[in-house]
Amino acid sequence: MSPELQSQLNAHLVADGSDRMEWLRARATGITATDAAQLSSPRAIDRLARQKAYGTHFSGSKFTEYGKHREPALAEWMRQRCGVLPSRGLYSSMS
């Protein structure tokens, strides 16, 4: 990666993933891809706004556990097939 591209990427880094609680707190403040996928109606937007403002008690489900279990294999597949390296970083589209 070029130094210029690395600098641009670093400008959008919100949490590097070394502190899980910091990463979770940072993730809770923005709209994630998971959140965006659910924004299909005014009611869904209101629900997400309340969750972001007041928090949620969600701590996982069988689906999130399955995703965590599969993530290393999927990351390795992406590395082998596409040359994409895994990252624990949380990035924002806004600087």
Side-chain angles (χ1 to χ4, degrees):
M1 182 179 309
S2 73
E4 180 183 346
L5 183 56
Q6 185 64 54
S7 176
Q8 291 174 3
L9 188 60
N10 288 344
H12 294 275
L13 183 65
V14 176
D16 67 10
S18 61
D19 180 329
R20 176 86 173 142
M21 291 309 295
E22 174 193 8
W23 188 92
L24 288 170
R25 278 192 298 272
R27 187 178 188 277
T29 63
I31 303 297
T32 67
T34 302
D35 296 331
Q38 299 174 30
L39 297 179
S40 59
S41 69
R43 186 175 178 185
I45 293 169
D46 288 343
R47 183 175 51 245
L48 180 60
R50 281 192 306 279
Q51 288 174 353
K52 294 299 177 175
Y54 303 113
T56 177
H57 295 290
F58 180 77
S59 62
S61 68
K62 65 181 181 181
F63 303 108
T64 55
E65 290 305 313
Y66 179 75
K68 287 191 280 187
H69 173 74
R70 292 288 299 144
E71 193 166 348
L74 295 170
E76 180 59 20
W77 185 87
M78 286 297 294
R79 186 192 65 75
Q80 289 178 4
R81 296 281 175 112
C82 306
V84 175
L85 299 176
S87 170
R88 295 185 312 174
L90 179 64
Y91 295 88
S92 171
S93 62
M94 302 179 67
S95 50

